[in-house]
Amino acid sequence: MVNVAVIGVGAMGAFHADALSHRVRGARVSVVSDLDADRAGALAETLGARFEPDPIAAIGSSDVDAVVLASPGFAHEKQVLACFDAGKPVLCEKPLTMDERSAYALVQAEAELGRRLVQVGFMRRFDREYAALRALVESGELGRPLMLHCVHRNPAVPDSFTSEMALADSVVHEVDCVRFLLGQEIVAVTALRPAATGSAPEGVSDPMLVLFETEAGTLVDVESFVRTGVAYEVRTELVAEHGMATIGLDQNLLLRTAGRWGGAIAADFVERFGQAYDSQLQAFVDAAAQGTVTGPDVWDGYAAVAVCTAGVEAVSTGCRVEITLGARP
Ligand code: NAD
């Protein structure tokens, strides 16, 4: 049984804690930590876990074998370093850190440790459809990937959600998926701003079209539209030399009744990616039981931070921004 500390138990941390307690095999939540003592104390009691107010003390505790970090991004750097000091596997929610410099410092710190301890929470890699598309690309059956057309739509977001946040919070998942599906780094980003929907606050660009160029010349367009008023839709179409492949078509139940025909679209990210979140945690727990981690690593977290930083610059300046990653240790 792997004893897990969950650090930060807001929306995401509470979801992970619930999964660890009820759906993931071989793990239990032993410690819960959050700056909000009421929230964390109540959750700890429900789960039969211990509440520890100090996140760093929680990470170092003897009743903790592995750590799930779901605190806000600005807290990740210090808490990941504490996991390195304690030699404990950590599933760190995206973003790895808030800027390129600190993300790269974690890449170097883990290299100096000489063992992998970080898995970054890019859960789409554990989604069956993404895994199938990646396997198809790797098989070479369709030849060289030429383009990816991606769609990321949310029904609604708070008014405080800016164009830059759409890049850093939503499109960041597309960044990782592009790197995962193609096995290539992204080398440049451009953001185009079409006419905005009436539900976007003044000055906020929604939708946006984000273009990524990869090192082998694959071109990726991402429609980011987070106030559609419709549903949660995430789709990817691969265009390759010998064919095309699409994932995310919501092809579940197709209903025919009383003069209408159709299916259902996922309402939110939990409905669309619930299986991926749980599979991600199961893989983390299985690897942690062996003292290691699997899946997206600290380099993937760093590369995503670098691309998103460039993306935010592309959104605010309207210019094409090139990305140069540090040396890989
Ligand atoms: P949230 O605001 O709902 O919860 C954050 C929690 O962290 C709060 O309970 C807060 O009190 C606590 N907290 C604040 N500072 C802390 C600190 N220094 N140490 C410990 N706890 C602290 O936010 P959320 O939506 O749950 O997001 C948490 C993380 O998960 C973020 O990094 C976010 O980007 C990520 N996230 C990932 C996905 C995904 O799809 N992978 C989805 C949503 C959020």
Side-chain angles (χ1 to χ4, degrees), residues 158-178:
D159 279 353
S160 56
F161 201 83
T162 63
S163 317
E164 287 79 8
M165 287 162 80
L167 215 304
D169 280 345
S170 302
V171 178
V172 60
H173 283 292
E174 306 299 337
V175 168
D176 185 64
C177 288
V178 167

Side-chain angles (χ1 to χ4, degrees), residues 1-4 16-29 128 275 277-290:
M1 191 57 85
V2 177
N3 288 314
V4 181
H16 287 322
D18 182 60
L20 285 163
S21 304
H22 300 113
R23 301 189 293 279
V24 170
R25 295 175 306 281
R28 64 181 277 269
V29 178
R128 292 191 191 98
Q275 168 268 315
Y277 283 108
D278 287 0
S279 299
Q280 160 186 255
L281 266 181
Q282 187 66 63
F284 174 67
V285 165
D286 292 347
Q290 310 300 319

Side-chain angles (χ1 to χ4, degrees), residues 21-267:
S21 304
H22 300 113
R23 301 189 293 279
V24 170
R25 295 175 306 281
R28 64 181 277 269
V29 178
S30 56
V31 177
V32 167
S33 185
D34 195 297
L35 303 189
D36 184 332
D38 291 342
R39 178 184 291 165
L43 183 69
E45 200 175 319
T46 314
L47 301 178
R50 182 168 70 78
F51 166 56
E52 166 54 66
D54 177 3
I56 302 300
I59 291 166
S61 299
S62 57
D63 54 352
V64 169
D65 305 315
V67 177
V68 169
L69 271 193
S71 50
F74 61 78
H76 292 175
E77 181 184 6
K78 188 173 162 198
Q79 294 173 352
V80 168
L81 286 172
C83 293
F84 288 171
D85 286 345
K88 293 182 183 172
V90 53
L91 173 62
C92 177
E93 265 304 343
K94 60 86 190 161
L96 178 61
T97 69
M98 302 300 284
D99 62 80
E100 255 180 276
R101 181 206 52 78
S102 55
Y104 190 63
L106 290 184
V107 169
Q108 290 175 309
E110 196 196 55
E112 278 160 26
L113 276 180
R115 58 185 281 223
R116 272 198 66 184
L117 283 180
V118 178
Q119 177 179 336
V120 180
F122 288 126
M123 79 297 168
R124 286 194 199 169
R125 293 188 182 214
F126 297 89
D127 174 75
R128 292 191 191 98
E129 292 186 43
Y130 278 95
L133 186 54
R134 152 113 168 190
L136 181 68
V137 171
E138 275 188 331
S139 75
E141 187 186 332
L142 296 190
R144 223 158 31 98
L146 306 174
M147 290 185 288
L148 283 177
H149 303 300
C150 308
V151 168
H152 184 121
R153 297 184 189 142
N154 287 48
V157 291
D159 279 353
S160 56
F161 201 83
T162 63
S163 317
E164 287 79 8
M165 287 162 80
L167 215 304
D169 280 345
S170 302
V171 178
V172 60
H173 283 292
E174 306 299 337
V175 168
D176 185 64
C177 288
V178 167
R179 297 182 61 260
F180 173 64
L181 292 172
L182 300 177
Q184 298 176 36
E185 296 295 356
I186 294 170
V187 295
V189 53
T190 309
L192 303 175
R193 299 166 167 236
T197 170
S199 38
E202 185 69 30
V204 170
S205 292
D206 189 22
M208 283 191 299
L209 194 61
V210 183
L211 300 177
F212 293 123
E213 298 162 52
T214 72
E215 57 191 339
T218 307
L219 195 61
V220 181
D221 57 272
V222 179
E223 174 202 309
S224 162
F225 189 7
V226 294
R227 294 173 181 83
T228 64
V230 177
Y232 183 81
E233 296 176 83
V234 171
R235 253 196 311 280
T236 298
E237 183 185 19
L238 164 74
V239 179
E241 283 174 310
H242 306 305
M244 296 91 193
T246 307
I247 57 172
L249 290 174
D250 292 293
Q251 284 185 340
N252 299 314
L253 185 78
L254 282 180
L255 179 71
R256 299 161 73 89
T257 182
R260 60 193 172 90
W261 174 94
I265 322 177

